[in-house]
Each structure stands twice: as structure tokens, then as C-alpha cells.
Amino acid sequence: MDLCDRNDIQALLARHGFRFAKSLGQNFLIRGDVAEDIAAAGCVSGCGVLEVGPGIGALTVQLARRAEKVVSVELDKRLPPVLAETLAGYDNFSLIEGDVMKLDLAAVAAERFAGLRPVLCANLPYNITTPFLTACVHAGCFEQLTVLIQKEVAQRICARPGTGDYGAFTLLMQYYTQPELLFTVPNTCFMPPPKVTSAVVRCVTRREPPVQVKSEETFWRTVRAGFALRRKTLVNSLQTGWQLPKERLTEIVIACGLSPTVRGEALGLEEYARLADALAEEA
Ligand code: SAM
């Protein structure tokens, strides 16, 4: 059976009485070469892969061919019987049934991937992309995250300061990882086709943060406040997170070497770090 052949997929799904659920972001890959390219980009030597949403296993099979071990998490209760059939030959594959958002990722990685290099690789359901990637970087247990996601989100992750795509999520991902947009994937590569173009992004976890800050809590509070009012100046936007007079915030911004009329989206990690350290003194 070819897991990327339309006729084979339709026959398999009909046999299992399966219908696609939009609410679960079910857009299955129907291009074997794309699944191979994602698996090749996502695996490192001696890795244990956590995959989210194996679907019928098109990407899972490619991962199982390259990794020491693959653990996939699937929420849809109708899919485990399908996977039992499609992954039958792969002893290094196991399934966790449930919602990946409710898992303790660090505990799963420690338990299932002892002695291996844990990585995350998935064609993510679009509705959990941002909260799930946020959970991954906070868990800090994966060497890299390689994900097929909406192109717009991939661009936000990789954005440079001063661009429309750049935001607090960009800084979060770039603080914890070094992201790279590898390639785009047209909607014709999926069944059913999503409305948008997708892209594969690989985020390699940093060993050390790119900037040193006095308090990470203050740093993220500053970043969130800096982007809260995108059309306003940084000083005005900062007031959403800091109960300081505008005049004092203006003094601090200037003391950090920034223009009093600069916008939050113009600042890079280093500038936010400098600003957060100055604001920490006020707390
Ligand atoms: N990996 C398959 C492929 O590439 O063809 C399917 C990818 S499809 C975009 C997303 C998959 O994630 C579906 O199988 C869906 O049922 C599953 N899913 C959706 N939400 C989930 C969640 N919260 N936890 C685990 N799996 C989830």
C-alpha cells in the first residue's frame, strides 16, 4: 500500500469508515517525496522522534525508517486501528492516544527516549501550532523541532525586526531556537487541500540564550508589552505592561539608546534585553 497514493488512501479510509475532521486539522500528506524530505530534515543520527498527529502514517513511516524510535501522539480515536495496519512492520514505532496539549513533553521525552537524542517532527494540526510550539520551547527537551505548518506562521517564526511578520512569538522562538524556513509545500500536496500554502521550518534549540537578561520574567513582560499596541510607539505600548509615568518610560527608552518615537516591532532581542534590564531596576 502506498500511503501517499490517493486511491490507496481512499480505499484504506473507506475500509475503516473514516471521514476527515476539519476541527482536528486533518490535512493528510499525499506526496511521498515531501514526507521523505521532512523526515530527512527532522531526524538526526541516533534520534528518538516525537510526532504529533500521525494521521494514517505517511510521515510516520518515513520517520521510522530514519530514527531509532518514533513515538506518535494521536487524538482521533478512529486512527489507531488504521495505524496498526499501516505501521505494522515497524517495531520502533509506538502510539500514545490522546491530546498532545495535555502531555508533559519533558516527561515523555525522558521516559521514551532515554539514551537517544530527542527531536520533534510533525505535520502539525494548524489549530494548535502556536500553543504547541510554545509548549515545546518551554519544555526544553528537544534538540530540534521540524514542523510543517502554515507558511504565514513559518514566516512569523523566522521574521526580522521591522517587518509585518515580526512579533512576540518571533522573539519567543528565536530566543530558544535558531529557526530556518526550509521549503514551502503547496496545498495540492494534501488531502483534503487546505486553503493556505504550508512551509517546513526547522528550529534548532540553542544551548545558551542569545542574550543574557537579569530576569526572564521581566524580559517576557517587556516583550509582550512592547508588541501590545502595534500601531503606537514603544513608550505607549509599554504602558500596557508597566505602571510607570509616560515621562519615566520615555527616559528609560532614551537611556537604552532608542528613539522616543520608536515602535516595539523595530527592536531585536538585544534591544529588548537592554530595555528589560533597565525596567527591572524600576520594579
Ligand atoms: N501526519 C499526518 C500526515 O502528515 O499526513 C497527518 C497530519 S494532520 C495535518 C494532523 C493530525 O493531528 C491528524 O491526524 C489529527 O487527528 C491530529 N491531531 C489534531 N489535534 C491533535 C492533538 N491535540 N493531539 C494529537 N493529535 C492531534
Side-chain angles (χ1 to χ4, degrees):
M1 188 197 317
D2 179 352
L3 289 178
C4 287
D5 178 89
R6 269 178 197 281
N7 294 331
D8 284 6
I9 296 172
Q10 269 157 358
L12 174 75
L13 296 182
R15 212 165 52 248
H16 287 270
F18 179 91
R19 280 170 179 275
F20 291 98
K22 211 174 170 187
S23 61
L24 292 174
Q26 289 179 337
N27 302 102
F28 293 173
L29 264 175
I30 53 166
R31 279 277 297 272
D33 56 339
V34 175
E36 282 183 39
D37 288 349
I38 298 169
C43 290
V44 295
S45 65
C47 67
V49 185
L50 187 75
E51 185 200 16
V52 179
I56 60 170
L59 175 60
T60 322
V61 165
Q62 298 303 331
L63 293 170
R65 287 184 184 155
R66 291 167 176 78
E68 294 293 320
K69 205 170 171 185
V70 178
V71 176
S72 304
V73 186
E74 178 56 62
L75 178 58
D76 190 334
K77 289 186 165 47
R78 301 168 302 167
L79 288 169
V82 181
L83 289 160
E85 187 178 330
T86 56
L87 270 296
Y90 296 90
D91 295 341
N92 60 345
F93 164 76
S94 60
L95 185 66
I96 297 176
E97 295 183 36
D99 184 348
V100 77
M101 294 307 298
K102 294 185 179 154
L103 281 190
D104 180 339
L105 296 171
V108 171
E111 212 174 277
R112 302 291 192 108
F113 300 136
L116 299 176
R117 298 168 66 190
V119 298
L120 183 286
C121 186
N123 170 12
L124 280 182
Y126 73 96
N127 52 326
I128 63 166
T129 304
T130 312
F132 178 68
L133 291 176
T134 301
C136 283
V137 296
H138 283 145
C141 56
F142 300 111
E143 278 193 23
Q144 60 181 37
L145 318 167
T146 308
V147 283
L148 175 55
I149 55 179
Q150 284 182 51
K151 186 178 158 201
E152 285 70 22
V153 183
Q155 286 171 329
R156 275 170 55 205
I157 291 172
C158 301
R160 307 314 312 165
T163 63
D165 292 326
Y166 187 68
F169 184 56
T170 310
L171 281 171
L172 178 83
M173 294 303 293
Q174 294 188 6
Y175 181 83
Y176 288 105
T177 75
Q178 284 182 295
E180 186 186 356
L181 197 157
L182 299 181
F183 53 92
T184 57
V185 181
N187 70 345
T188 48
C189 296
F190 301 89
M191 180 199 271
K195 288 204 174 72
V196 295
T197 300
S198 302
V200 175
V201 65
R202 180 170 55 202
C203 305
V204 178
T205 303
R206 295 180 187 272
R207 287 175 197 278
E208 298 288 335
V211 289
Q212 299 298 322
V213 290
K214 288 182 184 152
S215 151
E216 286 205 351
E217 196 191 329
T218 308
F219 175 68
W220 292 117
R221 182 175 159 197
T222 307
V223 169
R224 275 195 305 276
F227 285 98
L229 304 175
R230 283 192 81 105
R231 290 171 192 283
K232 304 272 175 133
T233 62
L234 173 66
V235 169
N236 281 327
S237 199
L238 282 175
Q239 286 188 295
T240 62
W242 297 90
Q243 313 307 315
L244 291 171
K246 189 171 174 183
E247 296 67 36
R248 181 67 195 127
L249 283 172
T250 306
E251 281 170 13
I252 293 169
V253 164
I254 292 170
C256 287
L258 301 166
S259 157
T261 58
V262 75
R263 290 192 178 178
E265 67 199 41
L267 275 59
L269 278 165
E270 283 183 13
E271 284 147 329
Y272 268 109
R274 211 159 57 231
L275 186 59
D277 282 354
L279 285 164
E281 301 290 317
E282 304 285 316

